[in-house]
Amino acid sequence: MNLSVVQACLTETDLERIRHAADHVRDHDTDRVLAGLLPALTAEERADVCRHLVYDHTAVLVFPASLDTLPDDLRRAGLEPGPVTPSVVVRGRLARRYGAAVADSPVAIVHVPVAGRTVEIFALPVPPGSPLEAVAADERAAGHESHHAFAVTAPGRVIPAGLRTLLTERAGAVPDGGGYNRHENVTVLYFRTARHRRFELRLPGRHDPVPDATLSLLGVLTGAWATQAVRTMAELRIADHLAARPGLDADTLATRTGADPDALRRLLRYLATLGLLTASADGTYHLTALGEPLHTGTEFSLHPLALLYGGPFYDSFAGLTYAVRTGQEAFAHRHGQHHFPYFAEHAELGDLFHRAMAASAEMFTPVPDLVDFSGVRRVVDVGGGNGALLGRVLRAHDHVEGVLLERPEALEAARAHLAGLTARCTFVTGDFTESVPEGGDVYLLSRVLHDWDDARCRTILARCAEAMRPGAELLVVERLLPTASAAAWDLHMLCNVGGRERDEPHYRRLLEEAGLKQVARHELPLGASLLHAVRV
């Protein structure tokens, strides 16, 4: 198509933007658009998504001098525009962004077919000398209204709900409003990516209403209440009582937990809204799958995590502003020292910390099967806490012997956890920033590096590399940015430890600087990853 004709009302800048949109629509399929928008999705995930939606259109906002001749100008440019209709939704968004001046201006929408899809052109008239020229300049630079759209082809509600979950939790997209369009009988859901690019899902029919932005923000602001409610549930061991005897009422639970019946009933009602409990019509309560991990009798119980994150680590988040302003950890600011020595001086907190770390040991379960240990004789766990990962390796491979390097107080917990394996395990007291035991075929660094800044990570990796012979392997377990869970943990590390979460290229650079080469990456439970490196 020829878009080089000088237009009567469209500027060359806007003409170029329309040309770019048309080229994109013509040259891209659904998979390619998804790959550009959401690079965190794997090829397999994109292929699955493509079974349920198709690339529908690309939208662009332009600023003609007038709407009257816009269709003719587009035709002279080689396009075949549909009718010009008002766009109340876009005008509303522009008005919220720029005020009343835009609210009084007409905003039109024109659909132009290109290669079986559509270029959706929004048009805000801006005559020469109009004060709206500033709006046009800002919108051209920011591209707030530019977006790609996908039509969901799967009927019903199950698959669209799954798509929304995948796009937000796995791909990192952020919901950005939307609603039901009765004229087209579609529900439009808006999203933004980590790179501030917009896209929308178009669902046939009416779907669940998009949460009101203010109510959604209030839900975020009251997240602290949920944390404390879960901590109280853990302190009162409500999950234990309901696991032992499902279907207890509030009065019975109050008697068993030593709580005030009315106050406990109010807590239970809130916990039910969080999905940890269900309330029956007869006034009894039952534990849900979400609440089950708070039962102390389950493997990988999160009971100690609820106490830790609702206790000392929760308190330090009150100093988050200090941490953000200074770059220093809030825990030390509030307690006078880093949390490792602080917990070492307070035995009850040290014990809680080690139990909490063991609670998330589920992420280690696949590790013994992801790496070939058949030729391995000795595994050295560097800063391995209570030895949860080392223990799994030793139990899975009875020809392997282990070495655990830790602080004295951590080794006490490790000896208890590794009972039955002590004949094959050596416990070494030491500091991994000074030296690491030699002679290992495989070295483990599990949830260690994220505790420290880059300078200290370089030191730790250098000590590991010094102890490793060429060809020895290093297994690093960490959460990787940019996933949403890693972003939350990254803020936790800033506030409570002074460390940080990192993305894979960041870790790869740190490894290379120490003479280590990453050879593989494996996904682990609980949002963790295993980085497999070798000493070169």
Side-chain angles (χ1 to χ4, degrees), residues 309 447 514:
Y309 293 144
R447 300 180 296 179

Side-chain angles (χ1 to χ4, degrees), residues 66-80:
S66 169
L67 294 178
D68 294 337
T69 60
L70 177 61
D72 292 336
D73 293 339
L74 292 172
R75 291 188 188 96
R76 283 195 294 271
L79 300 170
E80 295 296 331

Side-chain angles (χ1 to χ4, degrees), residues 160-434:
L163 285 171
R164 281 187 275 180
T165 300
L166 177 68
L167 294 174
T168 54
E169 295 186 3
R170 176 69 186 87
V174 178
D176 195 32
Y180 176 66
N181 184 330
R182 62 183 179 84
H183 300 291
E184 300 181 49
N185 190 31
V186 297
T187 299
V188 183
L189 304 179
Y190 303 111
F191 298 85
R192 287 189 179 275
T193 72
R195 300 177 181 178
H196 305 290
R197 301 172 67 186
R198 288 184 61 240
F199 69 94
E200 66 181 40
L201 294 186
R202 297 172 61 83
L203 311 170
R206 184 188 292 273
H207 286 255
D208 295 336
V210 178
D212 176 83
T214 302
L215 287 177
S216 296
L217 178 57
L218 285 173
V220 173
L221 291 173
T222 58
W225 305 351
T227 301
Q228 287 304 311
V230 175
R231 173 182 167 82
T232 300
M233 179 178 174
E235 284 190 298
L236 297 178
R237 294 183 177 264
I238 291 173
D240 286 357
H241 290 294
L242 291 178
R245 185 180 172 185
L248 297 178
D249 60 25
D251 290 333
T252 304
L253 279 170
T255 300
R256 298 190 178 192
T257 60
D260 177 81
D262 179 66
L264 181 61
R265 187 174 289 105
R266 293 158 71 177
L267 172 66
L268 296 172
R269 182 168 56 216
Y270 180 49
L271 291 171
T273 70
L274 298 177
L276 281 79
L277 308 172
T278 57
S280 300
D282 61 0
T284 60
Y285 292 88
H286 300 259
L287 205 57
T288 66
L290 185 62
E292 177 67 23
L294 291 176
H295 176 209
T296 58
T298 61
E299 186 180 16
F300 309 122
S301 169
L302 299 187
H303 183 271
L305 275 177
L307 298 178
L308 181 66
Y309 293 144
F313 283 167
Y314 180 89
D315 175 75
S316 63
F317 259 91
L320 179 59
T321 301
Y322 166 84
V324 172
R325 288 187 187 278
T326 65
Q328 304 298 312
E329 61 183 281
F331 190 99
H333 176 65
R334 295 180 67 81
H335 296 282
Q337 56 184 325
H338 189 279
H339 95 266
F340 285 134
Y342 184 84
F343 284 2
E345 292 179 6
H346 297 79
E348 73 286 355
L349 290 179
D351 176 67
L352 176 62
F353 176 77
H354 290 302
R355 288 190 289 115
M357 293 304 97
S360 54
E362 182 182 355
M363 65 176 60
F364 301 149
T365 53
V367 174
D369 298 319
L370 292 175
V371 177
D372 182 8
F373 285 92
S374 60
V376 173
R377 181 177 64 87
R378 176 175 296 170
V379 174
V380 180
D381 195 348
V382 180
N386 70 347
L389 176 54
L390 180 60
R392 287 196 169 270
V393 173
L394 295 180
R395 291 184 181 96
H397 304 285
D398 56 14
H399 66 284
V400 173
E401 63 181 51
V403 178
L404 179 63
L405 175 69
E406 256 297 358
R407 302 182 308 278
E409 66 276 7
L411 289 180
E412 291 183 19
R415 286 188 174 92
H417 182 77
L418 296 174
L421 295 171
T422 53
R424 296 164 52 207
C425 189
T426 303
F427 299 89
V428 179
T429 301
D431 181 348
F432 49 53
T433 65
E434 296 179 358

